[in-house]
C-alpha cells in the first residue's frame, strides 16, 4: 500500500520566536539560518509571519524578512504566513510582493490573513480596529486586481502588474469561505481541533470557484509537528510554547520562550496549569514512526495536498533535529511509494 505522505508537500512557517536571554536580532538571524537548513533537507516552502508589539515574536515585517530569507537561499519557495491584509493598503502589499517576485522570480508566495492587531493599543497604533477584518474579501479582491491591472483608479502597481505571485488565504473565521469564493489555495489549522478543521475544509471545497489562480481546491493543513528519538523528548519540544501560551491567556501578554528546564521548575496557578497541560495535547509529536502514522491519518482524513509545520521551541538544535527527522519520515515513505509504484515521481520533504 502506498503512503499518502509520499504524495504530499511539506513546508515550514517560522514565527521568529524570541527566547529568554536572547535578542530580537538573534531570533531573526535564527529564522534565516533555519531556512537555509530546511532548503538542504528538501522542504517545499519557508514562510514567515506578521506580529506587532508582541514581546515573544521578532517578526513584524514579513516582506522584509522574506527578502532576507530569499537572498540567503536558492531553491526553496519563500513567502508569508501571512501578511495581515487589514493592517495595510492593498496597493502597498502588491508593490512589496512585486519587488520580491522581481528579485526572486518563481520563488515567492503571498500568504494573506485577515487578523488585525493583537491588542487595542496595537490596533490604535496601526490606525485599525476590529471591524477592518470584515472587509477582508474586498481588500483581497483589490489586491489581486493590482496584479491583473484591473484597478479602476488609473493607477498601476509597479512592478507587480502582470506578475503571477501565488496568493494563499489563511483560513481564520470566515477565511475558508473567502478563499473558496476567490478561488485561492487555503491554509487551515489547527491540527488539534480535527472536527473544526474538517468542517472548514469541507466548506471550502463545497464553495470553491475556479479562478485564474487555482483551477481546483488546494488545501494546506498547518500545525505543530515534533519528532524526536523518544516520545518524552518530543513532548519536551512542546513545553516552551505551551507555557508561553498559558502565560498569555492568564496575563494578557505573550512572552519570549523559556527553556523546558525552567518551565519544569515553575509554580503555576491552577488556571495556568490547566492551560499549560491543554497546550501540550493534540499535537503531532513522537518518534519518527509515531509521527508518520499520525500524518498518514491526518492526510487521509483531510485530503490535504500539503502540511505547513509551525513548531516553535527554545532549543534550536532540538528543533532542527525534529525537522531532520521529519524529512527522513517523508523520504522513507516516498521510497516505499516508489517501490510500490515504480516510475512515479515523489515529492521530497
Amino acid at each position: 500500500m502506498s503512503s499518502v505522505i509520499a504524495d504530499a508537500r511539506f513546508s515550514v512557517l517560522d514565527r521568529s520566536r524570541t527566547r529568554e536571554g536572547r535578542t530580537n536580532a538573534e531570533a531573526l538571524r535564527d529564522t534565516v539560518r533555519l531556512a537555509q537548513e530546511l532548503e538542504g533537507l528538501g522542504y517545499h516552502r519557508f514562510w514567515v509571519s506578521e506580529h506587532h508589539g508582541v514581546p515573544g515574536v521578532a517578526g513584524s515585517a514579513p516582506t522584509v524578512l522574506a527578502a532576507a530569507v530569499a537572498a540567503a537561499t536558492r531553491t526553496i519557495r519563500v513567502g508569508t504566513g501571512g501578511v495581515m491584509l487589514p493592517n495595510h493598503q492593498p496597493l502597498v502589499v502588491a508593490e512589496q510582493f512585486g519587488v520580491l517576485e522581481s528579485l526572486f522570480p518563481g520563488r515567492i508566495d503571498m500568504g494573506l490573513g485577515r487578523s488585525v492587531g493583537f491588542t487595542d493599543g496595537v490596533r490604535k497604533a496601526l490606525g485599525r480596529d476590529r471591524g477592518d477584518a470584515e472587509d477582508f474579501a474586498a481588500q483581497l479582491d483589490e489586491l489581486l486586481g493590482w496584479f491583473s491591472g484591473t484597478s479602476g483608479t488609473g493607477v498601476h502597481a509597479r512592478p507587480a502588474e502582470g506578475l503571477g505571485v501565488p496568493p494563499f488565504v489563511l483560513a481564520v473565521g470566515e477565511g475558508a469561505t473567502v478563499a473558496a469564493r476567490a478561488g485561492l489555495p487555503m491554509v487551515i489549522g489547527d491540527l488539534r481541533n480535527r472536527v473544526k478543521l474538517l468542517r472548514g475544509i469541507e466548506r471550502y471545497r463545497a464553495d470553491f470557484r475556479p479562478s485564474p489562480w487555482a483551477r481546483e481546491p488546494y488545501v494546506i493543513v498547518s500545525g505543530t509537528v515534533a519528532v524526536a528519538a523518544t516520545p518524552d523528548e518530543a513532548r519536551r519540544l512542546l513545553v516552551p510554547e505551551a507555557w508561553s501560551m498559558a502565560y498569555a491567556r492568564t496575563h494578557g501578554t505573550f512572552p519570549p520562550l523559556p527553556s523546558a528546564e525552567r518551565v519544569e521548575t515553575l509554580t503555576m496557578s491552577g488556571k495556568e496549569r490547566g492551560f499549560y497541560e491543554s497546550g501540550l495535547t493534540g499535537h503531532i509529536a513522537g518518534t519518527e514512526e509515531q509521527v508518520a502514522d499520525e500524518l498518514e491519518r491526518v492526510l487521509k482524513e483531510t485530503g490535504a495536498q500539503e502540511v505547513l509545520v509551525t513548531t516553535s521551541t527554545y532549543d534550536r538544535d532540538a528543533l532542527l533535529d525534529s525537522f531532520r527527522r521529519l524529512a527522513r519520515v517523508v523520504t522513507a515513505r516516498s521510497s516505499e511509494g516508489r517501490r510500490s509504484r515504480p516510475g512515479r515521481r515523489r515529492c521530497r520533504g
Side-chain angles (χ1 to χ4, degrees):
M1 182 182 296
S2 64
S3 166
V4 291
I5 290 176
D7 293 314
R9 290 166 166 166
F10 285 79
S11 302
V12 172
L13 166 67
D14 189 74
R15 299 197 300 275
S16 302
R17 293 286 274 115
T18 55
R19 296 180 287 163
E20 286 186 349
R22 307 295 178 92
T23 66
N24 289 324
E26 286 178 281
L28 295 170
R29 293 189 185 104
D30 284 342
T31 292
V32 175
R33 280 193 293 267
L34 181 61
Q36 293 171 318
E37 294 281 358
L38 297 184
E39 179 176 63
L41 293 172
Y43 282 85
H44 185 62
R45 308 179 203 277
F46 187 90
W47 283 4
V48 296
S49 63
E50 175 181 335
H51 296 272
H52 299 284
V54 180
V57 182
S60 58
T63 53
V64 177
L65 185 52
V69 170
T73 54
R74 295 185 301 107
T75 58
I76 195 168
R77 296 196 64 87
V78 178
T80 55
V83 165
M84 296 302 152
L85 198 50
N87 291 338
H88 310 281
Q89 291 297 329
L91 170 61
V92 176
V93 175
E95 290 171 336
Q96 290 173 345
F97 279 97
V99 169
L100 284 170
E101 177 65 17
S102 298
L103 291 172
F104 310 101
R107 292 181 55 207
I108 300 301
D109 298 324
M110 184 168 58
L112 306 162
R114 65 189 295 270
S115 298
V116 290
F118 186 62
T119 65
D120 289 338
V122 169
R123 287 189 289 273
K124 183 177 180 181
L126 290 170
R128 299 292 188 268
D129 59 43
R130 291 181 185 273
D132 287 309
E134 303 307 314
D135 297 327
F136 180 61
Q139 294 161 349
L140 181 62
D141 186 62
E142 180 185 344
L143 172 62
L144 298 181
W146 290 116
F147 286 93
S148 60
T150 57
S151 172
T153 63
V155 177
H156 297 272
R158 311 288 189 198
E161 189 172 307
L163 297 180
V165 183
F168 299 77
V169 172
L170 277 61
V172 179
E174 296 301 313
T177 299
V178 172
R181 291 177 178 172
L184 299 180
M186 176 185 71
V187 183
I188 186 167
D190 67 45
L191 297 173
R192 301 175 66 204
N193 190 336
R194 300 291 170 82
V195 173
K196 184 177 179 182
L197 180 76
L198 292 172
R199 190 184 305 126
I201 292 172
E202 182 180 3
R203 183 168 67 249
Y204 167 71
R205 291 195 173 116
D207 294 343
F208 186 85
R209 301 172 184 172
S211 75
W213 300 99
R215 296 300 182 186
E216 58 188 26
Y218 188 89
V219 175
I220 303 175
V221 291
S222 66
T224 295
V225 180
V227 199
T230 68
D232 284 345
E233 288 178 36
R235 184 181 184 275
R236 282 176 65 80
L237 281 167
L238 307 176
V239 165
E241 185 79 5
W243 182 84
S244 290
M245 291 296 293
Y247 188 91
R249 295 187 69 177
T250 52
H251 294 78
T253 183
F254 198 59
L257 292 173
S259 67
E261 291 78 10
R262 192 175 85 77
V263 172
E264 290 164 351
T265 67
L266 296 175
T267 300
M268 301 184 199
S269 68
K271 190 174 183 180
E272 282 177 319
R273 177 65 63 178
F275 285 132
Y276 170 69
E277 294 294 344
S278 175
L280 292 172
T281 62
H283 305 290
I284 297 178
T287 63
E288 291 174 32
E289 191 63 31
Q290 290 171 328
V291 166
D293 290 343
E294 185 59 27
L295 283 172
E296 290 276 354
R297 280 191 288 272
V298 168
L299 289 169
K300 286 175 181 176
E301 287 176 3
T302 63
Q305 290 98 327
E306 189 168 340
V307 177
L308 182 68
V309 182
T310 62
T311 311
S312 295
T313 195
Y314 179 89
D315 188 333
R316 299 295 294 190
D317 291 335
L319 179 63
L320 180 56
D321 180 66
S322 177
F323 285 126
R324 285 175 176 151
R325 291 176 182 274
L326 178 57
R328 285 206 296 265
V329 166
V330 177
T331 299
R333 294 297 168 111
S334 296
S335 297
E336 292 171 10
R338 282 193 294 271
R339 287 195 294 270
S340 65
R341 287 184 286 176
R344 282 198 63 179
R345 186 171 178 265
R346 292 283 172 241
C347 297
R348 292 183 62 206

